[in-house]
Amino acid sequence: MQALQVFAGAAARQRLAERGLQPQDVGLIPAAAGGPKGLVLNGLDRHLFSEFLPRSRQAVHLLGASIGAWRMTSAASAARPEDAEAAFRAMAEAYIAQQYDPEPGRKSPSAGSVSRKFEQTLAEQFAGREAEVLGHSRWRLHIVTSRGRGLLARESRWRTPLGYLGAFAANALHRPWLGRWLERVVFSDPRERLPLRLGDFPSREVHLSERNLRAALLASCSIPFWLEAQADLPGAPKGAYWDGGITDYHLHLDYRALLGREAPLVLYPHFQRQVVPGWLDKALKHRHRASDFLSNMVLLAPHPDWVRSLPGAKLPDRNDFLKLELAERQRRWRVAVAESQRLAEEFERLTCQASIQALPL
């Protein structure tokens, strides 16, 4: 059974057909939001950062939102290729081990308690290692967050639901109008700016630093109503910061600025074929189509038949927290991580080919 599918934009498809895929071709790796779905990419992540990319020398930009930001920060925390395997295994196990119990008198845990516990999880992996993450010799880390505007500039019991109701309506009418409610803020490696045009949506870049690394990462993972917004991040404009997936669920950005550079391809390990712009676009199927922005993208996604072979015949997802007992959820997710090695093995065989026939995005 085939586990891995390869999709590509027009420019990338031609390049793959002519010369296959070489590690020196890769200039940027996006990592999507999507919660536990990202666990099925663990095998690919381990292979890419411990085996494939170390065969080249160029700097590579790592761009992540939510769990994708956590994955890419894990990559940057591995100073040597041989450390990447352990870093990604630790990240997956920390994600799987999450358990949030309600406080006394509550049926579900409060957003504050979830935020505090998740902050502790991130601290266990990255506290005291900020300089190491930001000083990686090759990886340039960029973390996407969503900064509230208008009613969403501050979090409160009434402002937040009303603000997101307005954001939902604005986005449904015209995606750029979402920018009246939320702004894309990218915390970027100060050594090298993100080499993309961000004119599709109200955006700004601020420097990623030792002071704001973990705060930006926590903000990028702060799902509205599940976790608290993170307020007034160091070195960034004041305001409430939420999950980067709200504005950029699958990071459907204009990657064409990489064309003509030494490493022009965007290599995207993803859990599905579609690159959905924002979290509020999930139900808007007409926004799931590929665009010219993705011309130089090579997207790696699990084959649907392989997904059906996983426990529950599906990818891990956030509803598993609610529907499954703790032990069963953890068992299923560990199986998914173990089985993800299949994706890495097929990718390795693929990169040995002189020509690759990718499917259109």
Side-chain angles (χ1 to χ4, degrees), residues 110-116 146-164 181-182 218-219 221-233 238-243 246:
S110 68
S113 69
V114 175
S115 288
R116 289 188 292 273
S146 303
R147 173 177 172 262
R149 306 176 74 179
L151 280 177
L152 294 176
R154 289 189 293 110
E155 185 176 36
S156 77
R157 292 185 63 180
W158 67 269
R159 291 172 67 102
T160 303
L162 283 177
Y164 274 106
W181 301 88
L182 292 159
L218 177 59
C221 296
S222 292
I223 306 162
F225 309 108
W226 286 64
L227 286 85
E228 290 180 330
Q230 301 305 301
D232 304 338
L233 274 58
K238 291 186 178 297
Y241 288 76
W242 276 282
D243 195 306
I246 304 171

Side-chain angles (χ1 to χ4, degrees), residues 69-334:
W70 190 0
R71 288 167 50 214
M72 295 300 97
T73 305
S74 298
S77 73
R80 303 173 302 169
E82 54 266 35
D83 298 331
E85 179 86 15
F88 279 108
R89 288 192 182 280
M91 178 263 161
E93 185 55 35
Y95 199 106
I96 292 168
Q98 291 179 95
Q99 180 181 359
Y100 301 103
D101 297 320
E103 300 97 317
R106 292 183 57 96
K107 294 183 178 180
S108 60
S110 68
S113 69
V114 175
S115 288
R116 289 188 292 273
K117 193 164 185 179
F118 185 61
E119 183 177 16
Q120 181 181 352
T121 297
L122 295 178
E124 289 169 357
Q125 191 170 2
F126 302 117
R129 304 184 63 197
E130 291 85 355
E132 184 180 350
V133 170
L134 295 173
H136 196 286
S137 60
R138 292 186 58 200
W139 313 146
R140 306 291 185 258
L141 180 64
H142 310 274
I143 295 175
V144 181
T145 66
S146 303
R147 173 177 172 262
R149 306 176 74 179
L151 280 177
L152 294 176
R154 289 189 293 110
E155 185 176 36
S156 77
R157 292 185 63 180
W158 67 269
R159 291 172 67 102
T160 303
L162 283 177
Y164 274 106
L165 182 62
F168 181 87
N171 181 77
L173 292 171
H174 187 46
R175 172 167 159 78
W177 290 355
L178 175 61
R180 301 176 183 179
W181 301 88
L182 292 159
E183 174 187 47
R184 172 195 294 142
V185 179
V186 184
F187 289 78
S188 285
D189 189 315
R191 296 172 296 177
E192 200 171 345
R193 292 188 63 183
L194 184 66
L196 303 180
R197 305 183 190 98
L198 298 178
D200 64 310
F201 192 84
S203 307
R204 72 172 78 203
E205 282 187 77
V206 299
H207 282 172
L208 196 55
S209 69
E210 293 181 41
R211 291 181 60 233
N212 64 26
L213 172 63
R214 282 193 290 124
L217 181 54
L218 177 59
S220 187
C221 296
S222 292
I223 306 162
F225 309 108
W226 286 64
L227 286 85
E228 290 180 330
Q230 301 305 301
D232 304 338
L233 274 58
K238 291 186 178 297
Y241 288 76
W242 276 282
D243 195 306
I246 304 171
T247 55
D248 293 285
Y249 190 44
H250 296 163
L251 302 162
H252 193 132
L253 305 175
D254 189 351
Y255 295 103
R256 294 172 296 180
L258 290 175
L259 288 168
R261 294 166 64 105
E262 176 188 2
L265 293 185
V266 175
L267 182 61
Y268 195 173
H270 196 16
F271 46 79
Q272 64 179 47
R273 174 180 183 171
Q274 295 78 19
V275 182
V276 181
W279 187 83
L280 297 175
D281 297 318
K282 289 199 298 182
L284 306 176
K285 300 298 184 182
H286 63 284
R287 295 190 186 168
H288 295 194
R289 295 191 293 266
S291 72
D292 291 341
F293 283 8
L294 313 182
S295 176
N296 53 327
M297 176 177 286
V298 178
L299 186 145
L300 311 172
H303 193 285
D305 290 342
W306 179 81
V307 171
R308 284 189 284 270
S309 75
L310 297 176
K314 67 177 185 63
L315 298 174
D317 65 53
R318 197 172 291 111
N319 289 328
D320 293 344
F321 278 110
L322 305 175
K323 295 181 178 180
L324 299 175
E325 295 292 332
L326 174 65
E328 177 61 11
R329 173 181 65 78
Q330 293 180 338
R331 182 194 72 81
R332 290 189 182 193
W333 288 10
R334 289 191 177 102

